[in-house]
Amino acid sequence: MRTYIKDQIKKSYETKQAIYVNDNLLANIEKVARLCVALYKTDKKTILAGNGGSAADAQHIAAELVGRYGFDRPSIPSLALTTDTSNLTAIGNDYGYDYVFSRQLEGMGQSGDIFIGISTSGNSKNIVNAFESAKKKEITTIALVGRDGGKMAKMADYSLIVPSESTPRIQESHILIGHILCDIIEKEIFGDGVEK
């Protein structure tokens, strides 16, 4: 069993190493971080959504921004569309599960906001539909995905594609990228910034 545990850690490390040497992905993470910082300087918000483990990641990232990440500072507006069970069940019942996020974006999203859709496959129908709604409302879209990026990577304004085929490794890397974004946003807006 010890060998298996070490093997799992090694696979996680190897995925992160693949991110570490991927200049295109690193450049896109930097672009998204700068975009989020600029967004918050105009009093807009980030909105996140995902399914299953990706729903938990959406809530985790939003909570780091609204609460705190590394130090005490004013709250940063961020919303996870996965937390309101009344909305999710009403929309799912009346319109279908494929519309649980797009319908919420239609009501709560504003021009200038950023929508971050999280999916390991990049093909989650309810996130794809949310991207379509976001475009209509002039909301910038970011795909946080894995594998080949799927449909979401082609639709998004910015795509952060984890170079892995493994769902657990992709999810581990999504939260790493989310933490990096939270850290940069917090330091750029309320701290001493980050090394240029």
Side-chain angles (χ1 to χ4, degrees), residues 36-126:
C36 289
V37 169
L39 161 96
Y40 282 123
K41 290 181 177 178
T42 62
D43 294 323
K44 297 296 183 179
K45 64 185 174 297
T46 52
I47 304 171
L48 303 96
N51 297 285
S54 297
D57 289 343
Q59 292 167 209
H60 183 158
I61 294 165
E64 301 283 22
L65 292 168
V66 173
R68 58 171 278 174
Y69 180 74
F71 56 85
D72 289 329
R73 39 77 180 166
S75 181
I76 299 172
S78 188
L79 174 68
L81 299 181
T82 54
T83 58
D84 188 333
T85 54
S86 293
N87 262 337
L88 293 172
T89 55
I91 295 166
N93 185 62
D94 295 344
Y95 297 95
Y97 188 69
D98 288 348
Y99 302 95
V100 293
F101 302 135
S102 58
R103 187 74 176 168
Q104 290 186 75
L105 263 185
E106 288 169 20
M108 292 182 278
Q110 298 175 327
S111 176
D113 287 342
I114 291 176
F115 175 64
I116 302 174
I118 308 173
S119 169
T120 57
S121 69
N123 293 311
S124 299
K125 181 65 174 166
N126 53 14

Coordinates of all heavy atoms in Angstrom, one line a residue, residues 36-126:
C36 N -8.4 39.5 -13.8 CA -9.2 39.5 -12.5 C -8.9 40.7 -11.7 O -9.8 41.4 -11.1 CB -9.0 38.2 -11.7 SG -9.7 36.8 -12.5
V37 N -7.6 41.1 -11.6 CA -7.2 42.3 -10.8 C -7.9 43.5 -11.4 O -8.4 44.4 -10.7 CB -5.7 42.4 -10.8 CG1 -5.3 43.8 -10.2 CG2 -5.1 41.3 -10.0
A38 N -7.8 43.6 -12.8 CA -8.4 44.8 -13.4 C -9.9 44.8 -13.2 O -10.5 45.9 -13.0 CB -8.1 44.8 -14.9
L39 N -10.5 43.7 -13.2 CA -12.0 43.5 -13.0 C -12.3 44.1 -11.6 O -13.3 44.9 -11.5 CB -12.4 42.1 -13.1 CG -13.7 41.7 -12.4 CD1 -14.8 41.7 -13.5 CD2 -13.7 40.4 -11.8
Y40 N -11.6 43.7 -10.6 CA -11.9 44.1 -9.2 C -11.7 45.6 -9.0 O -12.3 46.1 -8.1 CB -11.2 43.2 -8.2 CG -11.8 41.8 -8.0 CD1 -11.1 40.7 -8.3 CD2 -13.1 41.7 -7.7 CE1 -11.7 39.4 -8.1 CE2 -13.7 40.5 -7.5 CZ -13.0 39.4 -7.7 OH -13.6 38.1 -7.6
K41 N -10.9 46.2 -9.8 CA -10.6 47.6 -9.7 C -11.8 48.4 -10.3 O -11.9 49.6 -10.1 CB -9.3 48.0 -10.3 CG -8.1 47.5 -9.5 CD -6.8 47.9 -10.1 CE -5.6 47.4 -9.2 NZ -4.3 47.7 -9.8
T42 N -12.7 47.7 -11.0 CA -13.9 48.4 -11.5 C -15.2 47.9 -10.8 O -16.3 48.1 -11.3 CB -14.0 48.1 -13.0 OG1 -14.2 46.7 -13.2 CG2 -12.8 48.5 -13.8
D43 N -15.0 47.4 -9.6 CA -16.2 47.0 -8.8 C -17.1 45.9 -9.5 O -18.3 45.9 -9.2 CB -17.0 48.2 -8.4 CG -16.2 49.1 -7.4 OD1 -15.4 48.6 -6.6 OD2 -16.3 50.3 -7.6
K44 N -16.5 45.0 -10.2 CA -17.3 43.9 -10.8 C -17.0 42.7 -10.0 O -16.3 42.7 -8.9 CB -16.9 43.7 -12.3 CG -17.2 44.9 -13.2 CD -18.7 45.1 -13.3 CE -19.0 46.3 -14.2 NZ -20.4 46.5 -14.4
K45 N -17.5 41.5 -10.4 CA -17.3 40.3 -9.6 C -17.0 39.1 -10.5 O -17.1 39.1 -11.7 CB -18.6 40.0 -8.9 CG -19.8 39.7 -9.8 CD -21.1 39.5 -9.0 CE -22.3 39.3 -9.9 NZ -22.6 40.5 -10.7
T46 N -16.4 38.1 -9.9 CA -16.2 36.8 -10.5 C -17.4 35.9 -10.1 O -17.9 35.9 -9.0 CB -14.9 36.1 -10.1 OG1 -14.8 36.1 -8.7 CG2 -13.7 36.9 -10.7
I47 N -17.8 35.1 -11.1 CA -18.8 34.1 -10.9 C -18.3 32.8 -11.3 O -17.6 32.7 -12.4 CB -20.1 34.4 -11.7 CG1 -20.6 35.9 -11.4 CG2 -21.2 33.4 -11.5 CD1 -21.6 36.4 -12.3
L48 N -18.5 31.7 -10.5 CA -17.9 30.4 -10.8 C -18.9 29.3 -10.8 O -19.9 29.4 -10.0 CB -16.8 30.1 -9.8 CG -15.6 31.0 -9.7 CD1 -15.8 32.0 -8.5 CD2 -14.3 30.3 -9.5
A49 N -18.7 28.2 -11.5 CA -19.6 27.1 -11.5 C -18.9 25.8 -12.0 O -17.9 25.9 -12.8 CB -20.9 27.3 -12.3
G50 N -19.3 24.7 -11.5 CA -18.8 23.4 -11.9 C -19.8 22.3 -11.4 O -20.7 22.6 -10.6
N51 N -19.5 21.1 -11.8 CA -20.3 20.0 -11.3 C -19.5 19.0 -10.4 O -18.3 18.9 -10.7 CB -20.8 19.2 -12.5 CG -21.7 20.0 -13.4 OD1 -22.9 20.3 -13.0 ND2 -21.2 20.5 -14.5
G52 N -20.1 18.5 -9.4 CA -19.4 17.5 -8.6 C -18.2 18.1 -7.9 O -18.3 19.1 -7.2
G53 N -17.0 17.5 -8.0 CA -15.8 18.0 -7.4 C -15.5 19.4 -7.9 O -15.0 20.3 -7.2
S54 N -15.9 19.7 -9.2 CA -15.6 21.1 -9.7 C -16.6 22.1 -9.1 O -16.3 23.3 -9.0 CB -15.8 21.0 -11.3 OG -14.8 20.2 -11.8
A55 N -17.8 21.6 -8.6 CA -18.7 22.5 -7.9 C -18.0 22.9 -6.6 O -18.0 24.1 -6.1 CB -20.0 21.8 -7.6
A56 N -17.4 21.9 -5.9 CA -16.7 22.2 -4.7 C -15.5 23.1 -4.9 O -15.2 24.0 -4.1 CB -16.2 20.9 -4.1
D57 N -14.8 23.0 -6.0 CA -13.7 23.9 -6.4 C -14.2 25.3 -6.6 O -13.6 26.3 -6.2 CB -13.0 23.4 -7.6 CG -12.1 22.2 -7.4 OD1 -11.9 21.8 -6.2 OD2 -11.8 21.5 -8.3
A58 N -15.4 25.5 -7.3 CA -16.0 26.8 -7.5 C -16.3 27.4 -6.2 O -16.0 28.6 -6.0 CB -17.3 26.6 -8.4
Q59 N -16.9 26.7 -5.3 CA -17.2 27.2 -3.9 C -16.0 27.6 -3.1 O -15.9 28.6 -2.5 CB -18.1 26.2 -3.2 CG -19.4 26.0 -3.8 CD -20.2 24.8 -3.3 OE1 -21.0 24.3 -4.0 NE2 -19.9 24.4 -2.1
H60 N -14.9 26.7 -3.2 CA -13.7 26.9 -2.5 C -13.0 28.2 -3.0 O -12.6 29.1 -2.2 CB -12.8 25.7 -2.8 CG -11.5 25.7 -2.1 ND1 -10.7 24.6 -1.9 CD2 -10.7 26.7 -1.6 CE1 -9.6 24.9 -1.3 NE2 -9.6 26.2 -1.1
I61 N -12.9 28.4 -4.3 CA -12.3 29.6 -4.8 C -13.1 30.9 -4.4 O -12.5 31.9 -4.0 CB -12.1 29.5 -6.3 CG1 -11.1 28.4 -6.7 CG2 -11.6 30.8 -6.9 CD1 -11.1 27.9 -8.1
A62 N -14.4 30.8 -4.6 CA -15.2 32.0 -4.2 C -15.0 32.3 -2.8 O -15.0 33.5 -2.4 CB -16.7 31.7 -4.6
A63 N -15.0 31.3 -1.9 CA -14.9 31.5 -0.5 C -13.5 32.2 -0.1 O -13.4 33.0 0.8 CB -15.0 30.2 0.3
E64 N -12.4 31.8 -0.8 CA -11.1 32.4 -0.6 C -11.2 33.9 -0.9 O -10.5 34.7 -0.2 CB -10.0 31.7 -1.4 CG -9.9 30.2 -1.2 CD -9.1 29.8 0.0 OE1 -9.1 30.6 1.0 OE2 -8.6 28.7 0.0
L65 N -11.9 34.3 -1.9 CA -12.0 35.7 -2.3 C -12.9 36.5 -1.4 O -12.6 37.6 -0.9 CB -12.5 35.8 -3.8 CG -11.5 35.3 -4.8 CD1 -12.1 35.1 -6.2 CD2 -10.2 36.1 -4.9
V66 N -14.1 35.9 -1.1 CA -15.0 36.6 -0.2 C -14.5 36.7 1.2 O -14.6 37.8 1.9 CB -16.4 36.0 -0.3 CG1 -17.4 36.6 0.8 CG2 -17.0 36.1 -1.7
G67 N -13.9 35.6 1.7 CA -13.4 35.6 3.1 C -12.0 36.2 3.1 O -11.8 37.4 3.1
R68 N -11.0 35.3 3.0 CA -9.6 35.8 2.9 C -8.8 34.6 2.4 O -9.2 33.5 2.5 CB -9.1 36.2 4.3 CG -9.1 35.1 5.3 CD -8.4 35.4 6.6 NE -7.0 35.1 6.5 CZ -6.1 35.4 7.4 NH1 -6.4 36.0 8.5 NH2 -4.8 35.1 7.2
Y69 N -7.7 34.9 1.8 CA -6.8 33.9 1.3 C -5.5 33.8 2.2 O -5.3 32.9 2.9 CB -6.4 34.1 -0.1 CG -5.5 33.0 -0.6 CD1 -5.9 31.7 -0.9 CD2 -4.1 33.2 -0.8 CE1 -5.1 30.7 -1.3 CE2 -3.2 32.2 -1.2 CZ -3.7 30.9 -1.4 OH -2.9 29.9 -1.8
G70 N -4.7 34.9 2.2 CA -3.5 34.9 2.9 C -3.4 35.8 4.1 O -2.6 35.7 5.0
F71 N -4.2 36.9 4.0 CA -4.2 37.9 5.1 C -5.5 38.6 5.2 O -6.3 38.5 4.2 CB -3.0 38.9 4.9 CG -3.0 39.6 3.5 CD1 -3.8 40.7 3.3 CD2 -2.3 39.1 2.5 CE1 -3.8 41.4 2.1 CE2 -2.3 39.7 1.2 CZ -3.0 40.9 1.1
D72 N -5.7 39.3 6.3 CA -7.0 40.1 6.5 C -7.0 41.3 5.5 O -6.0 42.0 5.4 CB -7.1 40.5 7.9 CG -7.4 39.4 8.9 OD1 -8.0 38.4 8.5 OD2 -6.9 39.5 10.0
R73 N -8.2 41.4 4.9 CA -8.4 42.6 4.0 C -9.9 42.7 3.7 O -10.6 41.8 4.1 CB -7.6 42.4 2.7 CG -7.5 41.0 2.1 CD -8.7 40.6 1.4 NE -8.6 39.2 0.8 CZ -9.6 38.6 0.4 NH1 -10.9 39.1 0.5 NH2 -9.5 37.4 -0.1
P74 N -10.3 43.7 3.0 CA -11.8 43.8 2.7 C -12.2 42.6 1.8 O -11.4 42.0 1.1 CB -11.9 45.1 1.9 CG -10.7 45.9 2.4 CD -9.6 44.9 2.7
S75 N -13.4 42.3 1.9 CA -14.0 41.2 1.1 C -13.9 41.5 -0.4 O -14.1 42.6 -0.8 CB -15.4 40.9 1.5 OG -16.0 39.8 0.8
I76 N -13.7 40.5 -1.2 CA -13.7 40.6 -2.7 C -14.9 39.9 -3.2 O -15.1 38.7 -2.9 CB -12.4 40.0 -3.3 CG1 -11.1 40.7 -2.7 CG2 -12.4 40.0 -4.8 CD1 -9.8 40.0 -3.1
P77 N -15.7 40.5 -4.1 CA -17.0 39.9 -4.5 C -16.8 38.7 -5.5 O -16.2 38.9 -6.5 CB -17.7 41.1 -5.2 CG -16.7 42.0 -5.6 CD -15.5 41.9 -4.6
S78 N -17.3 37.6 -5.0 CA -17.2 36.4 -5.9 C -18.4 35.5 -5.5 O -18.8 35.4 -4.3 CB -15.9 35.6 -5.6 OG -15.7 34.6 -6.5
L79 N -18.9 34.8 -6.5 CA -20.2 34.1 -6.3 C -20.0 32.7 -7.0 O -19.7 32.6 -8.2 CB -21.3 34.9 -7.0 CG -22.7 34.2 -7.0 CD1 -23.3 34.1 -5.6 CD2 -23.6 35.1 -7.9
A80 N -20.3 31.7 -6.2 CA -20.4 30.3 -6.8 C -21.9 30.0 -7.1 O -22.7 30.0 -6.2 CB -19.8 29.3 -5.9
L81 N -22.2 29.6 -8.3 CA -23.6 29.4 -8.7 C -24.1 28.0 -8.2 O -25.2 27.6 -8.5 CB -23.7 29.5 -10.2 CG -23.4 30.8 -10.8 CD1 -23.6 30.8 -12.3 CD2 -24.3 31.9 -10.2
T82 N -23.2 27.3 -7.5 CA -23.5 25.9 -7.1 C -24.1 25.8 -5.7 O -24.4 24.7 -5.2 CB -22.2 25.1 -7.2 OG1 -21.2 25.7 -6.4 CG2 -21.8 24.9 -8.6
T83 N -24.3 27.0 -5.0 CA -24.6 26.9 -3.6 C -26.1 27.1 -3.2 O -26.5 26.8 -2.1 CB -23.8 28.0 -2.8 OG1 -24.1 29.3 -3.4 CG2 -22.3 27.8 -3.0
D84 N -26.9 27.6 -4.2 CA -28.3 27.9 -3.9 C -29.1 26.7 -4.3 O -29.5 26.6 -5.5 CB -28.7 29.2 -4.6 CG -30.1 29.7 -4.2 OD1 -30.9 28.8 -3.8 OD2 -30.3 30.9 -4.2
T85 N -29.5 25.8 -3.4 CA -30.3 24.6 -3.7 C -31.7 25.0 -4.2 O -32.2 24.2 -5.1 CB -30.4 23.7 -2.5 OG1 -30.9 24.4 -1.4 CG2 -29.0 23.1 -2.2
S86 N -32.2 26.0 -3.8 CA -33.6 26.4 -4.3 C -33.5 26.8 -5.8 O -34.3 26.4 -6.6 CB -34.1 27.6 -3.5 OG -34.4 27.2 -2.2
N87 N -32.5 27.6 -6.1 CA -32.3 27.9 -7.5 C -32.0 26.7 -8.4 O -32.6 26.5 -9.4 CB -31.1 28.9 -7.7 CG -31.6 30.4 -7.8 OD1 -32.7 30.7 -8.2 ND2 -30.7 31.3 -7.4
L88 N -31.0 25.9 -7.9 CA -30.6 24.7 -8.7 C -31.8 23.8 -8.9 O -32.0 23.3 -10.0 CB -29.5 24.0 -7.9 CG -28.2 24.7 -7.8 CD1 -27.2 23.9 -6.9 CD2 -27.5 24.9 -9.2
T89 N -32.6 23.5 -7.9 CA -33.7 22.5 -8.0 C -34.9 23.1 -8.8 O -35.5 22.4 -9.6 CB -34.1 22.0 -6.6 OG1 -34.5 23.1 -5.8 CG2 -33.0 21.2 -6.0
A90 N -35.1 24.4 -8.6 CA -36.2 25.0 -9.3 C -35.9 25.1 -10.8 O -36.7 24.7 -11.7 CB -36.5 26.4 -8.8
I91 N -34.7 25.6 -11.1 CA -34.3 25.7 -12.6 C -34.2 24.3 -13.2 O -34.7 24.0 -14.3 CB -33.0 26.4 -12.7 CG1 -33.2 27.9 -12.2 CG2 -32.5 26.4 -14.2 CD1 -31.9 28.7 -12.0
G92 N -33.6 23.3 -12.4 CA -33.5 22.0 -12.9 C -34.9 21.3 -13.2 O -35.1 20.7 -14.2
N93 N -35.8 21.6 -12.3 CA -37.2 21.1 -12.4 C -37.9 21.7 -13.6 O -38.6 21.0 -14.4 CB -37.9 21.2 -11.1 CG -39.3 20.6 -11.2 OD1 -39.4 19.4 -11.3 ND2 -40.3 21.4 -11.0
D94 N -37.8 23.0 -13.7 CA -38.6 23.8 -14.6 C -38.0 23.8 -16.0 O -38.7 23.9 -17.0 CB -38.9 25.2 -14.2 CG -39.7 25.3 -12.9 OD1 -40.4 24.3 -12.6 OD2 -39.7 26.3 -12.2
Y95 N -36.7 23.9 -16.1 CA -36.0 24.0 -17.4 C -35.1 22.9 -17.8 O -34.8 22.7 -18.9 CB -35.2 25.3 -17.4 CG -36.0 26.6 -17.2 CD1 -36.2 27.1 -16.0 CD2 -36.6 27.2 -18.4 CE1 -37.0 28.3 -15.9 CE2 -37.4 28.3 -18.2 CZ -37.6 28.9 -16.9 OH -38.4 30.0 -16.8
G96 N -34.6 22.1 -16.8 CA -33.7 21.0 -17.0 C -32.3 21.4 -16.5 O -31.9 22.5 -16.4
Y97 N -31.6 20.3 -16.1 CA -30.3 20.5 -15.4 C -29.3 21.2 -16.3 O -28.4 21.9 -15.8 CB -29.7 19.1 -15.0 CG -28.5 19.2 -14.1 CD1 -28.6 19.8 -12.8 CD2 -27.3 18.9 -14.6 CE1 -27.4 19.9 -12.0 CE2 -26.1 19.0 -13.8 CZ -26.2 19.5 -12.6 OH -25.1 19.6 -11.8
D98 N -29.4 21.1 -17.6 CA -28.5 21.8 -18.5 C -28.6 23.3 -18.4 O -27.7 24.0 -19.0 CB -28.8 21.4 -20.0 CG -28.4 19.9 -20.3 OD1 -27.7 19.3 -19.4 OD2 -28.8 19.4 -21.3
Y99 N -29.6 23.8 -17.7 CA -29.7 25.3 -17.7 C -29.6 25.9 -16.3 O -29.9 27.0 -16.0 CB -31.1 25.7 -18.2 CG -31.3 25.2 -19.7 CD1 -31.9 24.0 -19.9 CD2 -30.7 25.9 -20.7 CE1 -32.0 23.5 -21.2 CE2 -30.8 25.4 -22.0 CZ -31.4 24.2 -22.3 OH -31.5 23.8 -23.6
V100 N -29.1 25.1 -15.3 CA -29.0 25.5 -13.9 C -28.0 26.7 -13.7 O -28.2 27.5 -12.8 CB -28.7 24.4 -12.9 CG1 -29.8 23.4 -12.8 CG2 -27.4 23.7 -13.2
F101 N -27.0 26.8 -14.6 CA -26.0 27.9 -14.4 C -26.4 29.0 -15.4 O -26.2 30.2 -15.0 CB -24.6 27.4 -14.6 CG -24.2 26.3 -13.7 CD1 -23.6 25.2 -14.1 CD2 -24.5 26.4 -12.3 CE1 -23.2 24.2 -13.3 CE2 -24.1 25.4 -11.4 CZ -23.5 24.3 -11.9
S102 N -26.8 28.7 -16.6 CA -27.1 29.8 -17.6 C -28.2 30.7 -17.1 O -28.2 31.9 -17.2 CB -27.4 29.2 -19.0 OG -28.5 28.3 -18.9
R103 N -29.2 30.1 -16.5 CA -30.4 30.8 -16.0 C -29.9 31.8 -14.9 O -30.4 32.9 -14.8 CB -31.4 29.9 -15.5 CG -32.7 30.5 -15.2 CD -33.5 31.0 -16.4 NE -34.8 31.5 -16.0 CZ -35.6 32.2 -16.7 NH1 -35.3 32.4 -18.0 NH2 -36.8 32.7 -16.3
Q104 N -29.1 31.3 -14.0 CA -28.6 32.1 -12.9 C -27.7 33.3 -13.4 O -27.8 34.4 -13.0 CB -27.8 31.3 -11.9 CG -28.6 30.3 -11.1 CD -27.8 29.7 -10.0 OE1 -27.5 30.3 -9.0 NE2 -27.4 28.4 -10.2
L105 N -26.9 33.0 -14.4 CA -26.1 34.0 -15.0 C -26.9 35.1 -15.7 O -26.6 36.3 -15.6 CB -25.2 33.4 -16.1 CG -23.7 33.1 -15.7 CD1 -23.0 32.7 -16.9 CD2 -23.0 34.2 -15.0
E106 N -28.0 34.7 -16.3 CA -28.9 35.7 -16.9 C -29.5 36.6 -15.9 O -29.7 37.8 -16.2 CB -30.1 34.9 -17.6 CG -29.7 34.2 -18.9 CD -30.8 33.3 -19.4 OE1 -32.0 33.5 -19.0 OE2 -30.5 32.4 -20.1
G107 N -29.7 36.1 -14.7 CA -30.3 37.0 -13.6 C -29.3 37.8 -12.8 O -29.6 38.9 -12.4
M108 N -28.1 37.2 -12.6 CA -27.2 37.8 -11.7 C -25.9 38.3 -12.3 O -25.2 39.1 -11.7 CB -26.8 36.8 -10.6 CG -28.0 36.5 -9.6 SD -27.5 35.4 -8.3 CE -27.7 33.8 -9.1
G109 N -25.6 37.9 -13.5 CA -24.4 38.4 -14.2 C -24.6 39.8 -14.8 O -25.7 40.1 -15.2
Q110 N -23.5 40.5 -14.8 CA -23.6 41.9 -15.4 C -22.4 42.0 -16.4 O -21.3 41.4 -16.2 CB -23.4 42.9 -14.3 CG -24.6 42.9 -13.3 CD -24.3 43.9 -12.2 OE1 -23.2 44.1 -11.8 NE2 -25.4 44.5 -11.7
S111 N -22.6 42.9 -17.4 CA -21.5 43.2 -18.3 C -20.3 43.6 -17.5 O -20.3 44.4 -16.6 CB -22.0 44.3 -19.2 OG -20.9 44.7 -20.1
G112 N -19.1 43.0 -17.9 CA -17.9 43.3 -17.2 C -17.5 42.3 -16.1 O -16.3 42.3 -15.7
D113 N -18.4 41.5 -15.7 CA -18.1 40.4 -14.8 C -17.2 39.3 -15.5 O -17.1 39.4 -16.7 CB -19.4 39.7 -14.3 CG -20.2 40.5 -13.3 OD1 -19.6 41.5 -12.7 OD2 -21.3 40.2 -13.1
I114 N -16.7 38.4 -14.7 CA -16.0 37.3 -15.3 C -16.7 36.0 -14.8 O -17.0 35.9 -13.6 CB -14.5 37.3 -14.8 CG1 -13.7 38.4 -15.4 CG2 -13.8 35.9 -15.1 CD1 -12.3 38.5 -14.9
F115 N -16.9 35.1 -15.7 CA -17.5 33.8 -15.4 C -16.4 32.7 -15.6 O -15.8 32.6 -16.7 CB -18.7 33.4 -16.3 CG -19.2 32.0 -16.0 CD1 -19.7 31.7 -14.8 CD2 -19.1 31.1 -17.0 CE1 -20.2 30.4 -14.5 CE2 -19.6 29.8 -16.8 CZ -20.1 29.4 -15.6
I116 N -16.1 32.0 -14.5 CA -15.1 30.9 -14.6 C -15.9 29.6 -14.5 O -16.5 29.2 -13.5 CB -14.1 31.0 -13.4 CG1 -13.4 32.3 -13.5 CG2 -13.1 29.8 -13.5 CD1 -12.5 32.6 -12.3
G117 N -15.9 28.9 -15.6 CA -16.5 27.5 -15.7 C -15.4 26.5 -15.5 O -14.4 26.5 -16.2
I118 N -15.7 25.5 -14.6 CA -14.8 24.5 -14.2 C -15.3 23.1 -14.6 O -16.4 22.8 -14.3 CB -14.5 24.5 -12.7 CG1 -14.1 25.9 -12.2 CG2 -13.4 23.5 -12.3 CD1 -14.0 26.1 -10.7
S119 N -14.5 22.4 -15.4 CA -14.9 21.1 -15.8 C -13.6 20.3 -16.2 O -12.8 20.8 -16.9 CB -15.8 21.2 -17.1 OG -16.0 19.9 -17.7
T120 N -13.5 19.0 -15.8 CA -12.3 18.3 -16.1 C -12.3 17.9 -17.6 O -11.3 17.8 -18.2 CB -12.2 17.0 -15.2 OG1 -13.4 16.2 -15.4 CG2 -12.0 17.3 -13.8
S121 N -13.5 17.6 -18.2 CA -13.6 17.2 -19.6 C -13.7 18.4 -20.5 O -13.3 18.3 -21.7 CB -14.9 16.4 -19.8 OG -16.1 17.2 -19.6
G122 N -14.2 19.5 -20.0 CA -14.5 20.7 -20.8 C -15.7 20.6 -21.7 O -16.0 21.4 -22.6
N123 N -16.6 19.6 -21.4 CA -17.8 19.4 -22.2 C -19.1 19.4 -21.4 O -20.1 19.0 -21.9 CB -17.6 18.0 -22.9 CG -16.6 18.0 -24.0 OD1 -16.5 19.0 -24.8 ND2 -15.7 17.0 -23.9
S124 N -19.0 19.9 -20.1 CA -20.2 19.9 -19.3 C -21.3 20.8 -20.0 O -21.1 22.0 -20.1 CB -19.9 20.4 -17.9 OG -19.0 19.6 -17.3
K125 N -22.4 20.2 -20.3 CA -23.4 20.9 -21.1 C -23.9 22.2 -20.3 O -24.2 23.2 -20.9 CB -24.6 20.0 -21.4 CG -25.7 20.6 -22.2 CD -25.3 21.0 -23.6 CE -26.5 21.5 -24.4 NZ -26.1 22.2 -25.6
N126 N -24.1 22.1 -19.0 CA -24.6 23.2 -18.3 C -23.6 24.4 -18.2 O -24.0 25.5 -18.2 CB -25.1 22.9 -16.9 CG -24.1 22.1 -16.0 OD1 -22.9 22.1 -16.4 ND2 -24.6 21.5 -15.0

